Amino acid sequence: MSVLFPSTPGPRAAVPAYLDWGAVLSSPLGGVDQKLNRLGDRFALDVTMPPMDSADDGAAWIAALIEGQKEGVIFPWPQGITISGSGALAVDGGGQAGTSLEVKSSTPGRKFLRGQFFSVIHGGRRYLHILTAAATADGAGSATFAVEPMLRVSYANNSVVEVDEPMIEGFLEGNAREWTLDMLMNVGLQFRIKEAE
């Protein structure tokens, strides 16, 4: 089970990345370029932490990093925009595919912004998406999300949709294995989290 990183201190910087597994096909004879989209696009997050204020904070981060090397990690995704409303949403019906997702259990009339991120918990793993169009929940609290990347798995009905605090879940990359307590307290850490699926 993935490790939820400590909530304090927060990151000094968190830079999102979109990993596109498709390719542009160029004709060797000067024809029109074509984009080949493949299932599996996902996100990564490059995190820079500030120096820790205390040895206790540093020790908690070291423990989380060591455990996260084996289990994977969960970390809050930076929204970068102001969202309105609150509440737990859920997937409305299993078997969905493509670039739209039906959701339910929202506050009626709640507005969702283009560029807003959300994560879906399915099979014990989080999957991160971005809304590519604004949406508004109807009187029953249902909405249709236009999303990228396309759905990588078929989410089960009632899977939890995290819109208020989306999370990225994945594996650590970079120099997350290279640390000392002195480095944590005086320099800070840098690492990348990449979604596994």
Side-chain angles (χ1 to χ4, degrees):
M1 183 174 192
S2 295
V3 177
L4 179 62
F5 270 167
S7 58
T8 56
R12 181 169 51 198
V15 181
Y18 185 77
L19 308 177
D20 182 357
W21 296 107
V24 175
L25 304 176
S26 297
S27 168
L29 302 175
V32 176
D33 287 351
Q34 298 179 24
K35 178 67 193 292
L36 174 64
N37 293 309
R38 294 189 178 100
L39 188 64
D41 291 359
R42 63 195 80 158
F43 292 96
L45 187 65
D46 294 303
V47 179
T48 302
M49 296 298 297
M52 304 288 163
D53 290 333
S54 73
D56 290 348
D57 287 342
W61 271 92
I62 289 171
L65 285 165
I66 291 171
E67 191 178 6
Q69 295 293 333
K70 295 180 183 176
E71 304 295 331
V73 299
I74 300 169
F75 196 78
W77 184 264
Q79 278 283 24
I81 58 175
T82 302
I83 60 172
S84 64
S86 63
L89 273 68
V91 171
D92 190 5
Q96 300 184 55
T99 56
S100 66
L101 181 67
E102 302 288 332
V103 298
K104 60 185 177 182
S105 303
S106 174
T107 303
R110 180 174 179 181
K111 297 188 181 308
F112 303 94
L113 303 176
R114 181 177 190 218
Q116 182 173 342
F117 286 87
F118 67 95
S119 45
V120 179
I121 303 174
H122 171 80
R125 180 188 300 273
R126 284 171 171 82
Y127 297 84
L128 191 64
H129 296 279
I130 187 172
L131 283 141
T132 57
T136 302
D138 64 19
S142 298
T144 300
F145 286 174
V147 305
E148 285 294 342
M150 71 176 82
L151 305 182
R152 291 160 273 177
V153 296
S154 180
Y155 300 134
N157 185 43
N158 295 320
S159 292
V160 173
V161 178
E162 300 172 314
V163 290
D164 297 326
E165 188 176 18
M167 301 279 187
I168 184 170
E169 180 172 356
F171 292 103
L172 291 168
E173 294 186 341
N175 64 351
R177 293 176 176 85
E178 300 170 8
W179 48 261
T180 64
L181 193 53
D182 182 63
M183 179 187 293
L184 266 71
M185 295 185 68
N186 295 297
V187 178
L189 292 173
Q190 290 185 327
F191 54 85
R192 169 174 266 216
I193 303 168
K194 185 173 85 172
E195 285 190 286
E197 183 178 359

